[in-house]
Amino acid sequence: MVMAIGTPINVKSLRALKNTVIGNPSAKASLARDEAFVRVLVGCLNEPGLYAEREPGTSAEAIRIEAAHVISSLAYGEPNGGLGSLLRANAHQAFLYALSNFTPEESTIFKAAFTRGLRVLAVAFAECVGPSQWGLKPESSQLRHEAKFALETLFKTEVLDVYIPLLEHKSPQIVISIALMLTSTLCTQIYRTKVTEWLPPSERAKETKGKRGWERPNLIDLRTKQGGGWVAKRLSTLLHSKDVKIQEAALGALGSLVQDNSVVALTLARPLPDKDKPGPLSALQTVLGLCKSRTTDVSLAACLCATFMIRSSVPNNHYPVSGDHTASLTVLHILNRVIGNEAESPQTRKKACFILYYFVTDDKDLCMFAYERGSLTKLSQAVDSITPTDKPPIWEEEESEHISSLREAALSAIAALSLWNNDIRREVAENYSLIATIRASLSHPHTGVRFAACQCVRALSRLVAVVRTSLVDSGLGMKVYGVFLNEDEDRRVMFAASSVICNLVNDFSPLRPVMLEQRLIARLVDLTKSDDRGLRLNALWAFKNLLHKSSSAQKQTVMTALGWNTLSSLLVNPDPGLQEQAFHIARHLAESEEDVETLFSELGTEPLFNCIAPALETDNGDILLQATCLLANLANGSSQRQISITSDRRIMASVRSCLVDSNVYVRRPAASCVLQLAKNSRCQKVLRDVGFDSTLRHMCDFGGGMTNGSPGPLSHQMGVEDDVGVKEKAREALALLEYGEFTL
Amino acid sequence: MPQKVPIRKEEWERRLHEVHVTKNDLNRLIMDYLVIEGYKVSAEEFSQEAGLSPPVDFESIEGRMNIREALQRGDVEDAITRVNDLNPEILDTNPALYFRLQQQKLIEYIRQGRIAEALQFAQEELAPRGQENPEFLSELENTMALLAFESSKSAPESISSLLSPNQRMKTAGEVNAAILESFSQGKESKLVALLKLLCWGESMLEERADFPKVDFGEGPSRH
């Protein structure tokens, strides 16, 4: 017990309690276990008279302040301890209530303590729900649901009305608290949109009335006119503060607001139309100026903010190859310098690595842009500088958290840089010292490091040549396989490892037979039953790749383990991602006539068609494609099987509309399917009855009167096929339907 | 290797005189030093004599000064209480600093000969810190080794130095830096930064020229 039973609750005892728990994880854990007392503490926030005694010379406000400090400190503890009991005691609601009832008489110290309390809790919720901006944090799945619910309440309009206006408070501490809160909590598009669109209640009333009372003005126009929205505008103003802490907090909040938020990003890139200021800078230019701040924390916060602004202000987040690169060069130059500077603290270099990660992630051109400016070299050197020189490196138990985080950050950035480009991949693969470090990192005690190392291998494994050589020779492939087999591994690391396995089970991989001998199929089957959707998806993906170009015997082995019933239920799974993989698996199972026969007999004709028919009618393009490809493979089956396909009118009607309405990737297998069926004389009548002959005729432009103009997308819309391959198949099939009996 | 350019003392001094540093700048440098190091009385007096307003209010300097004094007299509990009054975030967001303070507390127990309390404190408070953060283990081991030597003269330097006043000053300096950083003031006085720049500049110039260097003698150690 941190506070002895029977101790009166007053300013003195609360102060003593505060000084016991601040900084002390075991004291926090002990306090958190006493949930009844935690509820009393929360009660003290708003009703000190009810829960505490007031000693002479002390005020009710002082009791409330000390209680707030104890609660804030508790929120800094282990999530399963302090945060859990605070969630159950509704501490955040108590803080919000107090904030909504702030009076001018209350001291700034009081208001600052309560704002801080709300901020610490909100940040703890966001960290618990994840993902964190700065690498992997320990997971606490039991609290995640509660924390997510609590986080959502912070974005209701009436709740935003309580704390957003505090961004205009005269106390820097209060402003900083709210900005820091936004930095961490604006982690989804929904939350960003809510905050972007937020207006003070007085302005809200005006905006909902258009010139004609029943018209609702276009909110996007309003946002762009108002400098990206009230919050964006306020944060942009705060950038000009002389207080570096305010600058840093405002940059963080603005960056989080702008991430994946193109409307605001584009607005902030434009100069402000402010009548009072001549030649105003855009918010982006102000941020770029702050990138050069001598205060490193401000400089990096500005780099992150600028990164999100740059990435979000281009369509689909895709960076144009031509155009003005000044902004990107500014950011990249600073990041490279910090990453390469061993005199900087590991925490600072770590941030720079993660910012580089955000800068290049999922953008092939930006990856090349950064690579050409030496980012990969800097990252490799950073990794080398913190890696023990033993060969192979041996991890010290006492390695500091900061060094491990730097390693995680640098490897994450290397993985992101090499994900899209073969030249970059090759350079990493040929860097023997880096490969050795990645290999050793796969067994690092820090979860984030193992995760980042798996991501590096995943990037490398996208190149066939690397799969065949470096990943085998260095032992990297089998080391990842070891991670994959470990049932106690962290879920996220497992996901990353399984992504590598998906690439290593392809037919060209020398590791495929080795893994098959070492429990690969059994492990994949286990993962198909996982609670984690990502793992289930990856397991199916791996099966799909494993089955492609494998022997019938191998296919048999896989399906004996996986189960035909499992496949059958996956073909109608409501999750479109899983359903798509199931169809792809079925498609790969049906690679020969013998295999097609197996598929039909194991699944049953009618059940199989009952899966395929709705898939051919779906709006989901990926499922439609795989279902069509499966059907095309099934059409290579025996004559009997071909007849059964044509007997299903629903499927036939769908195939016919695919030929006309779908994109070329679907039309190709659809045309193959029809051609195969048309070669069977016993199917030709049905094909004609369903109307395939007239469809094919239109596709081949044999309808008459439409011979002028070359085929193009417009002509396709009018029923004429523009893809050469499809058109040839259509012609051949039409000829069979019109003229020929093709005897088997 | 190219010959070094010799620069005579007179020439050097002539060049130095050409660089104008205003009295105001010098005063600001001194004021900055006094504020950052926490010399409140000196800062107040200097402020009056030089007619210079301090960059921060004197209460905050006083706060840091009181913490430094508490640590220098070995009262770690008081220091922790004062740090939390000044800014309750600092120790919650800086595990290394909290560990340093708890380590100092253990050292004070040992210095006072309160061995039983030291052992209990080490078991209940410091051992968990070592478990939570393995990087603290080696420091923890050194401190526990103090118990084994019980201020015997045969203790190795790395262990016996824990009992020296320097250790208290080292802890006080780290706490001071953390407080300054939390209030977005510089962690290091500009005077110290200039000294570092001077040393670096001299070493760069040393490669190409012979010139009169500043003699620092055995000046105060900095951390």
Side-chain angles (χ1 to χ4, degrees):
Chain A
M1 284 281 288
V2 182
M3 200 145 139
I5 298 168
T7 309
I9 299 172
N10 50 38
V11 172
K12 189 175 169 193
S13 62
L14 285 173
R15 281 195 75 207
L17 181 60
K18 173 186 81 179
N19 290 323
T20 310
V21 298
I22 288 182
N24 193 323
S26 21
K28 288 184 221 275
S30 174
L31 175 59
R33 281 192 288 272
D34 189 349
E35 296 220 7
F37 184 73
V38 171
R39 280 194 293 276
V40 165
L41 271 177
V42 172
C44 287
L45 290 177
N46 290 305
E47 292 172 299
L50 208 58
Y51 294 95
E53 61 177 48
R54 217 169 106 184
E55 301 159 296
T58 64
S59 64
E61 191 178 271
I63 294 173
R64 297 173 78 187
I65 290 172
E66 296 302 329
H69 285 320
V70 176
I71 290 169
S72 299
S73 185
L74 201 54
Y76 271 117
E78 274 295 304
N80 288 334
L83 190 63
S85 49
L86 290 172
L87 271 167
R88 288 184 283 279
N90 267 321
H92 59 292
Q93 298 284 17
F95 278 121
L96 281 168
Y97 179 77
L99 260 65
S100 64
N101 288 305
F102 273 169
T103 65
E105 293 76 37
E106 283 159 346
S107 68
T108 305
I109 295 177
F110 166 79
K111 291 176 185 166
F114 271 62
T115 315
R116 178 177 93 93
L118 180 67
R119 181 251 301 169
V120 174
L121 276 172
V123 170
F125 296 159
E127 293 279 302
C128 186
V129 173
S132 165
Q133 244 178 6
W134 307 111
L136 252 47
K137 294 275 187 298
E139 275 199 314
S140 42
S141 51
Q142 59 207 96
L143 265 189
R144 225 170 147 245
H145 182 73
E146 292 172 64
K148 191 160 185 237
F149 185 74
L151 195 59
E152 279 166 6
T153 59
L154 294 176
F155 289 95
K156 294 185 176 166
T157 308
E158 59 271 23
V159 177
L160 290 171
D161 287 347
V162 171
Y163 65 84
I164 296 286
L166 293 172
L167 281 173
E168 287 191 313
H169 200 277
K170 59 182 186 333
S171 156
Q173 277 181 292
I174 291 176
V175 170
I176 289 168
S177 269
I178 301 298
L180 287 176
M181 183 172 153
L182 290 173
T183 304
S184 293
T185 57
L186 288 174
C187 47
T188 72
Q189 267 312 97
I190 299 173
Y191 299 160
R192 288 179 196 124
T193 306
K194 290 203 172 203
V195 169
T196 303
E197 292 179 352
W198 184 85
L199 284 172
S202 51
E203 290 181 45
R204 211 180 293 153
K206 275 188 256 168
E207 293 298 350
T208 49
K209 280 189 199 164
K211 280 187 182 158
R212 283 167 278 201
W214 45 269
E215 259 185 354
R216 198 159 177 270
N218 187 315
L219 276 173
I220 291 178
D221 290 336
L222 289 170
R223 286 201 294 275
T224 52
K225 278 183 205 153
Q226 289 162 15
W230 189 96
V231 174
K233 202 166 172 207
R234 177 66 190 144
L235 291 172
S236 304
T237 309
L238 288 171
L239 295 178
H240 299 282
S241 165
K242 290 197 174 25
D243 184 331
V244 296
K245 289 287 185 200
I246 291 183
Q247 282 181 336
E248 189 188 341
L251 284 164
L254 198 58
S256 292
L257 183 64
V258 152
Q259 189 180 8
D260 297 330
N261 192 341
S262 57
V263 169
V264 180
L266 281 164
T267 313
L268 295 181
R270 278 191 241 128
L272 296 166
D274 193 328
K275 317 187 269 299
D276 302 329
K277 292 190 183 115
L281 292 176
S282 67
L284 175 59
Q285 285 170 311
T286 307
V287 171
L288 289 170
L290 289 172
C291 287
K292 298 166 199 161
S293 165
R294 291 168 71 179
T295 310
T296 314
D297 288 338
V298 171
S299 169
L300 287 181
C303 284
L304 183 60
C305 185
T307 295
F308 288 143
M309 282 178 162
I310 293 166
R311 291 296 306 262
S312 306
S313 60
V314 289
N316 302 321
N317 274 3
H318 178 76
Y319 193 70
V321 176
S322 58
D324 179 14
H325 296 309
T326 321
S328 302
L329 282 168
T330 304
V331 171
L332 200 54
H333 171 71
I334 291 163
L335 294 178
N336 280 350
R337 183 172 51 77
V338 174
I339 293 169
N341 185 357
E342 289 183 38
E344 291 279 5
S345 71
Q347 297 94 298
T348 302
R349 291 169 89 195
K350 167 199 94 170
K351 275 194 175 171
C353 289
F354 274 123
I355 298 171
L356 181 59
Y357 167 88
Y358 290 119
F359 186 79
V360 302
T361 196
D362 288 341
D363 191 307
K364 186 173 176 179
D365 294 326
L366 275 173
C367 288
M368 197 38 114
F369 186 85
Y371 169 71
E372 285 167 351
R373 281 148 192 88
S375 291
L376 181 62
T377 310
K378 293 285 180 193
L379 288 167
S380 309
Q381 285 168 353
V383 172
D384 267 343
S385 71
I386 55 169
T387 298
T389 48
D390 322 292
K391 298 265 180 283
I394 297 162
W395 305 120
E396 302 263 332
E397 264 192 30
E398 294 118 43
E399 181 175 271
S400 102
E401 180 78 22
H402 295 310
I403 298 284
S404 300
S405 297
L406 172 55
R407 186 173 290 111
E408 177 190 355
L411 290 177
S412 298
I414 289 172
L417 260 181
S418 27
L419 194 59
W420 299 99
N421 201 298
N422 286 335
D423 291 335
I424 305 176
R425 257 191 274 276
R426 270 189 213 104
E427 185 163 321
V428 174
E430 286 163 14
N431 182 334
Y432 299 121
S433 131
L434 184 57
I435 292 292
T437 303
I438 293 172
R439 186 171 180 275
S441 297
L442 289 166
S443 49
H444 195 279
H446 192 255
T447 309
V449 173
R450 296 196 304 279
F451 177 79
C454 285
Q455 295 287 59
C456 284
V457 185
R458 179 191 166 213
L460 293 174
S461 67
R462 283 181 161 199
L463 184 56
V464 174
V466 171
V467 170
R468 285 180 151 157
T469 54
S470 314
L471 291 192
V472 179
D473 300 339
S474 63
L476 211 47
M478 287 312 287
K479 188 90 194 271
V480 172
Y481 189 58
V483 173
F484 174 71
L485 289 178
N486 177 8
E487 290 174 17
D488 298 324
E489 181 55 87
D490 180 280
R491 170 190 72 85
R492 297 160 294 180
V493 177
M494 182 57 61
F495 178 78
S498 59
S499 303
V500 180
I501 302 307
C502 286
N503 293 342
L504 295 183
V505 298
N506 284 308
D507 62 301
F508 52 77
S509 164
L511 294 176
R512 185 193 211 178
V514 181
M515 293 190 291
L516 279 167
E517 279 173 22
Q518 294 184 32
R519 290 190 52 231
L520 174 65
I521 294 176
R523 183 72 183 125
L524 286 174
V525 170
D526 283 341
L527 291 179
T528 58
K529 299 169 190 159
S530 166
D531 293 331
D532 185 289
R533 188 250 180 201
L535 288 175
R536 290 204 302 278
L537 186 68
N538 271 6
L540 293 179
W541 198 296
F543 271 132
K544 167 194 80 185
N545 286 355
L546 183 61
L547 288 166
H548 186 46
K549 295 189 190 173
S550 61
S551 65
S552 297
Q554 184 65 71
K555 290 178 172 49
Q556 186 91 330
T557 311
V558 168
M559 289 315 294
T560 306
L562 180 62
W564 289 99
N565 285 340
T566 305
L567 178 62
S568 159
S569 60
L570 283 167
L571 288 169
V572 292
N573 193 297
D575 182 323
L578 298 178
Q579 202 188 10
E580 182 204 346
Q581 293 307 313
F583 272 102
H584 212 143
I585 286 173
R587 171 187 166 187
H588 285 172
L589 281 170
E591 283 174 342
S592 71
E593 191 178 316
E594 184 195 334
D595 295 330
V596 168
E597 193 51 44
T598 308
L599 195 72
F600 267 109
S601 54
E602 292 286 357
L603 291 179
T605 307
E606 206 179 308
L608 178 57
F609 287 170
N610 285 340
C611 294
I612 294 175
L616 291 175
E617 294 159 0
T618 180
D619 290 332
N620 184 309
D622 296 324
I623 294 174
L624 176 62
L625 173 61
Q626 297 310 323
T628 315
C629 289
L630 168 61
L631 195 66
N633 282 4
L634 293 178
N636 288 326
S638 65
S639 171
Q640 210 51 43
R641 297 300 180 190
Q642 288 175 327
I643 292 168
S644 66
I645 292 173
T646 52
S647 308
D648 191 310
R649 291 301 165 120
R650 191 177 162 193
I651 288 180
M652 286 290 100
S654 296
V655 172
R656 203 171 140 228
S657 29
C658 281
L659 282 175
V660 178
D661 295 328
S662 298
N663 66 58
V664 67
Y665 301 105
V666 175
R667 297 201 309 274
R668 283 179 188 149
S672 294
C673 177
V674 173
L675 175 57
Q676 271 316 102
L677 295 173
K679 286 179 183 172
N680 185 341
S681 57
R682 291 155 74 188
C683 296
Q684 286 164 4
K685 181 177 183 303
V686 177
L687 290 171
R688 279 192 294 272
D689 289 345
V690 172
F692 272 102
D693 48 345
S694 74
T695 304
L696 292 169
R697 213 170 286 123
H698 273 119
M699 285 169 72
C700 300
D701 194 15
F702 290 158
M706 285 174 35
T707 49
N708 48 328
S710 47
L714 182 61
S715 58
H716 170 65
Q717 281 173 21
M718 295 162 76
V720 180
E721 181 53 59
D722 50 10
D723 181 85
V724 167
V726 175
K727 203 164 186 174
E728 263 184 43
K729 290 198 168 97
R731 275 201 192 111
E732 206 182 324
L734 183 62
L736 286 164
L737 290 185
E738 282 186 334
Y739 303 114
E741 284 183 355
F742 185 93
T743 49
L744 290 165
Chain B
M1 185 144 147
Q3 276 256 310
K4 286 193 195 175
V5 174
I7 302 176
R8 287 179 13 243
K9 190 168 178 214
E10 295 80 23
E11 171 66 16
W12 184 253
E13 303 223 338
R14 185 187 68 76
R15 290 200 200 191
L16 282 182
H17 273 107
E18 280 172 11
V19 179
H20 295 294
V21 180
T22 65
K23 193 156 166 94
N24 192 47
D25 282 343
L26 287 173
N27 286 343
R28 282 169 61 209
L29 272 175
I30 294 170
M31 177 60 98
D32 174 78
Y33 177 82
L34 293 172
V35 164
I36 294 219
E37 294 303 315
Y39 297 112
K40 181 196 167 201
V41 171
S42 308
E44 273 173 328
E45 286 177 7
F46 187 75
S47 159
Q48 278 167 10
E49 278 180 26
L52 208 60
S53 59
V56 294
D57 62 278
F58 288 120
E59 279 78 46
S60 75
I61 306 174
E62 182 162 10
R64 287 187 289 110
M65 196 173 80
N66 289 337
I67 291 166
R68 194 167 54 111
E69 282 171 4
L71 285 168
Q72 280 173 343
R73 65 171 187 271
D75 190 347
V76 181
E77 272 306 311
D78 186 44
I80 289 177
T81 303
R82 289 176 186 276
V83 171
N84 290 338
D85 282 339
L86 211 52
N87 187 343
E89 293 264 300
I90 294 175
L91 294 179
D92 263 334
T93 52
N94 199 332
L97 188 65
Y98 187 72
F99 174 79
R100 175 71 74 217
L101 284 165
Q102 290 207 304
Q103 182 195 29
Q104 192 62 46
K105 198 167 168 186
L106 178 63
I107 292 169
E108 300 304 332
Y109 276 132
I110 297 171
R111 187 203 308 283
Q112 292 162 31
R114 292 156 72 182
I115 304 302
E117 285 166 272
L119 277 169
Q120 191 181 4
F121 181 75
Q123 201 174 355
E124 286 174 6
E125 295 296 340
L126 276 171
R129 300 296 87 74
Q131 272 182 310
E132 289 142 16
N133 292 71
E135 71 225 56
F136 299 154
L137 278 174
S138 61
E139 286 268 13
L140 183 54
E141 280 164 9
N142 280 347
T143 319
M144 293 308 292
L146 253 187
L147 277 167
F149 286 103
E150 283 196 52
S151 17
S152 140
K153 289 205 170 49
S154 59
E157 165 67 19
S158 61
I159 290 169
S160 60
S161 65
L162 291 172
L163 285 171
S164 77
N166 269 345
Q167 184 63 23
R168 283 175 171 174
M169 278 181 64
K170 189 176 163 192
T171 305
E174 286 180 24
V175 173
N176 194 45
I179 296 170
L180 285 165
E181 208 200 328
S182 78
F183 288 119
S184 47
Q185 294 165 29
K187 272 197 287 197
E188 190 179 64
S189 67
K190 291 186 175 52
L191 203 54
V192 171
L194 275 173
L195 274 173
K196 287 184 182 172
L197 199 58
L198 176 68
C199 291
W200 175 81
E202 282 191 344
S203 70
M204 295 265 87
L205 189 58
E206 175 74 37
E207 289 169 23
R208 294 164 199 251
D210 272 325
F211 61 97
K213 295 179 198 47
V214 176
D215 180 11
F216 292 109
E218 289 196 340
S221 61
R222 290 253 55 93
H223 43 75

